[in-house]
């Protein structure tokens, strides 16, 4: 039976906006709230579900609790159509392990600060998770990857001109996107390709010249999320797996203008297939 939060006091906490407040303290408060709401003391793996990936949680196992994200300290309701508004605790089928499924993602372009962008992965680490799967919908530079193609992230270029780390915090990102987890993902689907993800700040789509620049720099995928979360996840001690869904050719690759409706449609069309794939990968890791 799923837990509910009806009897729990409202815990929405805007202290992340205060630079004097330790963001990890807020993450621990969020983790404590999730534990109380779900009855699950520790989660093992976390998933951040981007555009097109939302159905994966339904295939993972039994939902133990579904919590409106805005009730959890430091979280807000999603601002983007196509993203979920709840955080779920799911008992992974056939195991005694639990997954924390974060359907609500804050993007840098929302103007709420980089702390809120990475609060989900910091909370995941505070719940006890040791691995995180970051997903997104993105533009593709490789013409052989049509809309609906899932691509493993092998590395990233952070073009947001910011970092989630504060002060003299030095973290090695050499193998940020875990080779071990990527190998496990390829065991689930041998056809999975790999590519370098480029995070732009958004919210506007990239220009054709920016896409050409990304390609010259070594990029294969362009989007507005994930890289900052991955950096924070590594800092928090999480092993990271990143998977992009190509929802559209990047600007200049396609002869037609880009539209968010195209992203949603591609995610909807690919949803059942990629959700089943993500659920299988999560069970394996």
């Amino acid at each position: 039976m799923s837990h509910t939060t009806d009897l729990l006091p409202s815990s929405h906490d805007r202290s992340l906006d205060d630079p004097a407040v330790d963001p990890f303290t807020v993450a621990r408060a969020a983790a404590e709230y999730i534990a109380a709401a779900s009855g699950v003391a520790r989660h093992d793996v976390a998933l951040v579900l981007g555009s097109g990936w939302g159905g994966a949680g339904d295939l993972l196992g039994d939902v133990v609790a579904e919590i409106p994200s805005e009730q959890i300290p430091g979280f807000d309701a999603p601002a983007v159509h196509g993203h979920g508004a709840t955080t779920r605790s799911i008992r992974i089928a056939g195991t005694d392990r639990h997954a924390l499924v974060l359907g609500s993602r804050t993007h840098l372009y929302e103007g709420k600060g980089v702390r809120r962008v990475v609060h989900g992965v910091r909370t995941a680490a505070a719940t006890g998770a040791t691995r995180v799967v970051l997903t997104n919908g993105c533009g593709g530079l490789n013409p052989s990857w049509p809309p609906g193609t899932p691509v493993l992230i092998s590395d990233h270029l952070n073009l947001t001109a910011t970092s989630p780390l504060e002060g003299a915090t030095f973290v090695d990102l050499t193998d940020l996107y875990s080779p071990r987890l990527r190998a496990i993902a390829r065991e689930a689907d041998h056809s999975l390709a790999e590519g370098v993800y480029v995070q732009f700040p958004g919210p506007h789509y990239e220009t054709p010249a920016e896409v050409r620049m990304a390609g010259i720099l070594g990029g294969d995928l362009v989007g507005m999320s994930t890289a900052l979360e991955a950096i924070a996840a590594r800092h928090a001690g999480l092993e990271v797996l990143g998977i992009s869904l190509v929802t559209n050719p990047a600007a200049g690759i396609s002869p037609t203008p880009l539209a968010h409706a195209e992203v949603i449609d591609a995610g909807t069309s690919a949803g059942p297939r990629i959700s089943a794939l993500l659920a299988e990968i999560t069970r394996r890791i």
Side-chain angles (χ1 to χ4, degrees):
M1 179 181 295
S2 296
H3 283 68
T4 68
T5 59
D6 294 344
L7 300 179
L8 294 175
S10 175
S11 297
H12 188 57
D13 187 343
R14 306 201 66 82
S15 60
L16 275 177
D17 303 327
D18 184 350
V21 172
D22 176 17
F24 294 95
T25 299
V26 184
R28 287 192 293 271
E32 290 169 2
Y33 186 87
I34 291 169
S38 66
V40 177
R42 178 187 177 88
H43 288 82
D44 302 279
V45 61
L47 294 86
V48 179
L49 300 183
S51 297
W53 297 94
D58 298 331
L59 304 177
L60 273 177
D62 297 326
V63 177
V64 177
E66 186 161 356
I67 311 165
S69 296
E70 62 198 50
Q71 293 183 3
I72 304 171
F75 284 83
D76 295 298
V80 179
H81 177 58
H83 291 266
T86 63
T87 294
R88 288 183 286 173
S89 175
I90 297 177
R91 183 180 297 106
I92 300 174
T95 75
D96 59 357
R97 297 184 298 131
H98 289 84
L100 183 70
V101 179
L102 301 165
S104 179
R105 170 184 255 157
T106 298
H107 294 78
L108 187 63
Y109 58 71
E110 295 175 40
K112 297 175 182 178
V114 70
R115 285 183 169 189
R116 288 191 181 274
V117 172
V118 302
H119 181 58
V121 296
R122 285 174 172 164
T123 296
T127 68
T130 57
R131 302 169 302 287
V132 64
V133 183
L134 303 174
T135 67
N136 61 60
C138 71
L141 277 67
N142 189 331
S144 68
W145 296 341
T149 302
V151 180
L152 296 173
I153 301 176
S154 60
D155 205 343
H156 78 231
L157 294 168
N158 174 15
L159 299 187
T160 67
T162 191
S163 170
L165 309 184
E166 302 173 22
T169 305
F170 307 112
V171 178
D172 178 32
L173 304 180
T174 302
D175 58 351
L176 173 56
Y177 296 92
S178 169
R180 185 185 76 86
L181 295 185
R182 291 185 348 244
I184 292 173
R186 286 192 297 272
E187 290 174 2
D189 183 346
H190 297 289
S191 71
L192 282 171
E194 293 190 354
V196 175
Y197 180 87
V198 185
Q199 181 175 353
F200 285 86
H204 53 275
Y205 290 109
E206 305 77 22
T207 68
E210 289 169 337
V211 169
R212 289 196 300 273
M213 175 189 72
I216 291 169
L217 293 176
D220 303 291
L221 310 158
V222 294
M224 305 173 195
S225 67
T226 305
L228 295 174
E229 293 165 315
I231 295 168
R234 162 54 64 87
H235 178 234
L238 294 168
E239 190 175 13
V240 178
L241 177 65
I243 313 178
S244 291
L245 171 67
V246 176
T247 55
N248 56 275
I253 306 296
S254 169
T256 59
L258 304 181
H260 187 60
E262 180 182 11
V263 174
I264 298 298
D265 289 345
T268 300
S269 177
R273 175 172 50 85
I274 62 171
S275 293
L277 171 63
L278 182 55
E280 177 60 25
I281 292 171
T282 303
R283 283 190 287 267
R284 290 172 181 250
I285 65 173

